Amino acid sequence: MSYFVRSEDDAAVKTANRSFDLRNPLLLIPSGSDGHPSTDFNTGAIESGDKEKGEGSSAGNDLKIKAVHDSDACDDSRSSNSDVSEDHAGFIGLLGSTSLAYNNLVGPGIVFLPATFQRSGIIPTIFTICLVSTLSCFSSLHFANVISKYPGNHEFRKEIEYSEIFKHFGGNTVYLISQAVFFLGIMCQIIASIVDVAQVVDQFFDTAHAIQFGPGPPKAITWNAASCSDDELGSCYPFTGDGQFVLTGGYVISALCFMPLGLMDLKENMLWQIISFILTVVLILQFILAFWNKGLSYDNVSLWGESWGDLFGVILFNNALCTCIPAWLYEKKKDVSVSGVVIGSSFCSAVTYIGLGLVGALAMDNVPQNVLEPLSSGYFGAVSNISAQLFAFTVIGLGIPFFCVVTRLNLVSSGLCSNYTGLFILSILPLVLSWTM
């Protein structure tokens, strides 16, 4: 039997029932099983097939190897096996990548950390922050590694969204579960962000206006900061006792400002992500300084705490880095290190959690669930009041359109809905659900 070597893009390679190394341009392909001569499709040369039975030495001793080294053909075959756009070049550099990762780690849940420190204690909370940040870091790196194993995507040149990777490696059932979990998880982030922003905006004005739906016909209601006593300063919130279905002015302003940004694509949102990252760092430093100037007391926080039921959930709620990994990998520049961005952002976010959470807990004897509310009430001064408004808009608020974008990309790329349907779902549904919160 004689042998010859063909390039990978030869049709005979695709029909041969044997494994081969895609990086090796030399492939041994058996010929002559049907008595026909073998042809080198690169040169047109013809190699003789098996000799007739009884002539010369046995077929097992008749071996001819012809080496054909055609790297261009191998490159073409790799491209033909995947829907890779060779013209695609990522646009997200190191600053944009760091901003995107940090913003998804320091999410709306960070405003709950001072209260969490008071309930759960210093040691359990810090330990849980370090544990969750480490697990989130390794999970994100593992997810990136799995995405690189997708055929033809070793350089992240294919546009693969979150649930597609589950479908390829886990099958249709796992794919459907991932779609449901992803959608519900991101929807919780969006709803929490809208509620936080709306509450702070309502509290910013001395007089807030709203429409109350039920009991009875709709009617206009107002809230005035002067109605709060000195004892309630920092814990007096607008419209808390006016029923569940109250359409506030802060809610309307939040929706009008941020939901239109959800209609943009990822590239158009990157400038806002960078702005959000810079302001996040500056504003959190201002909050820590305001807490420090107010005075810290270790009597406000115990070492071990007294309630740990929601400790893990509150901290885990902050870590949403995995949700943006697929979209980021496709759009990042080639020189941006995946491990460097993920590890660096995870470390910085853990330091941020501990810094803001612990100092905020030490500054107040009874921290409300949302630390932005006392900050925006004037209790910590006018600068902190303005900073709380900016934080709600630029940090929490700008996370709303980004979550809408990545969720829409996941739904549309999976073929579950059209782009217009995705825009409708991610623009209307979060507003309806958050209104009832």
Side-chain angles (χ1 to χ4, degrees):
M1 181 183 293
S2 63
Y3 287 74
F4 72 98
V5 179
R6 297 177 182 171
S7 62
E8 295 173 3
D9 58 340
D10 197 304
V13 176
K14 298 185 175 91
T15 59
N17 186 21
R18 62 186 299 175
S19 61
F20 54 89
D21 188 351
L22 286 175
R23 296 171 297 180
N24 187 1
L26 303 179
L27 300 173
L28 283 176
I29 304 298
S31 68
S33 61
D34 57 354
H36 294 289
S38 301
T39 304
D40 180 356
F41 291 98
N42 295 299
T43 64
I46 299 178
E47 298 294 329
S48 61
D50 292 342
K51 296 182 179 180
E52 294 181 0
K53 294 180 180 180
E55 293 186 9
S57 58
S58 65
N61 296 327
D62 187 0
L63 178 66
K64 295 178 68 178
I65 300 179
K66 181 178 179 65
V68 178
H69 193 291
D70 192 344
S71 60
D72 292 338
C74 293
D75 291 339
D76 293 341
S77 68
R78 278 191 290 270
S79 299
S80 64
N81 289 334
S82 63
D83 299 328
V84 181
S85 174
E86 296 296 341
D87 296 332
H88 176 77
F91 61 87
I92 304 179
L94 180 60
L95 177 59
S97 298
T98 303
S99 301
L100 197 62
Y102 185 83
N103 292 345
N104 277 271
L105 288 167
V106 183
I110 193 173
V111 301
F112 306 132
L113 284 178
T116 302
F117 265 92
Q118 283 194 344
R119 288 194 309 270
S120 302
I122 296 175
I123 294 177
T125 305
I126 292 179
F127 173 79
T128 306
I129 289 174
C130 295
L131 175 63
V132 172
S133 296
T134 302
L135 293 176
S136 173
C137 176
F138 282 112
S139 298
S140 299
L141 291 175
H142 177 68
F143 195 27
N145 182 55
V146 172
I147 292 174
S148 71
K149 304 302 182 184
Y150 193 94
N153 197 43
H154 60 286
E155 293 183 352
F156 308 115
R157 303 296 299 277
K158 298 189 70 175
E159 187 174 8
I160 301 172
E161 298 304 332
Y162 186 89
S163 294
E164 291 181 67
I165 203 70
F166 289 91
K167 185 175 185 178
H168 178 78
F169 290 104
N172 196 57
T173 301
V174 176
Y175 159 74
L176 293 176
I177 294 175
S178 72
Q179 281 282 7
V181 172
F182 182 85
F183 181 82
L184 294 175
I186 294 295
M187 192 62 63
C188 289
Q189 290 272 18
I190 296 173
I191 292 173
S193 299
I194 295 174
V195 172
D196 286 342
V197 173
Q199 287 180 343
V200 172
V201 173
D202 283 326
Q203 204 167 27
F204 177 76
F205 303 100
D206 289 336
T207 301
H209 301 273
I211 298 177
Q212 185 182 44
F213 296 88
K219 61 181 180 179
I221 58 176
T222 59
W223 172 87
N224 196 294
S227 62
C228 299
S229 64
D230 293 337
D231 296 335
E232 294 177 316
L233 190 61
S235 59
C236 183
Y237 315 128
F239 309 113
T240 53
D242 294 311
Q244 187 175 16
F245 299 103
V246 177
L247 182 62
T248 71
Y251 173 85
V252 174
I253 292 174
S254 302
L256 293 177
C257 288
F258 296 111
M259 294 312 296
L261 296 180
L263 304 177
M264 300 180 178
D265 58 23
L266 183 59
K267 186 174 184 178
E268 293 170 328
N269 268 284
M270 278 312 302
L271 174 61
W272 296 105
Q273 291 300 311
I274 294 174
I275 294 174
S276 176
F277 166 68
I278 296 173
L279 288 175
T280 298
V281 175
V282 173
L283 294 175
I284 287 180
L285 289 176
Q286 194 280 323
F287 293 156
I288 293 175
L289 181 61
F291 292 146
W292 191 282
N293 290 336
K294 197 68 176 179
L296 307 181
S297 174
Y298 288 98
D299 294 335
N300 295 331
V301 187
S302 64
L303 286 178
W304 296 101
E306 57 186 18
S307 175
W308 310 274
D310 59 352
L311 172 61
F312 189 81
V314 169
I315 296 174
L316 184 64
F317 185 66
N318 287 285
N319 291 268
L321 181 57
C322 277
T323 60
C324 74
I325 287 291
W328 168 64
L329 290 176
Y330 179 66
E331 298 294 357
K332 77 175 186 68
K333 294 181 178 179
K334 286 186 176 181
D335 59 348
V336 176
S337 170
V338 175
S339 58
V341 170
V342 172
I343 294 174
S345 300
S346 299
F347 175 79
C348 292
S349 65
V351 173
T352 303
Y353 299 155
I354 296 172
L356 180 64
L358 181 57
V359 177
L362 293 171
M364 291 175 279
D365 58 353
N366 186 20
V367 183
Q369 182 70 10
N370 186 347
V371 75
L372 288 183
E373 291 162 355
L375 283 168
S376 62
S377 67
Y379 181 71
F380 290 93
V383 175
S384 295
N385 186 5
I386 297 174
S387 297
Q389 313 303 319
L390 288 175
F391 188 89
F393 268 84
T394 61
V395 178
I396 299 177
L398 288 176
I400 298 172
F402 176 78
F403 290 138
C404 292
V405 169
V406 295
T407 307
R408 186 178 75 245
L409 288 174
N410 190 50
L411 292 174
V412 174
S413 65
S414 301
L416 294 180
C417 68
S418 66
N419 187 54
Y420 291 107
T421 304
L423 289 172
F424 176 81
I425 293 175
L426 272 305
S427 297
I428 303 301
L429 185 59
L431 293 175
V432 174
L433 295 177
S434 60
W435 177 48
T436 63
M437 299 298 173

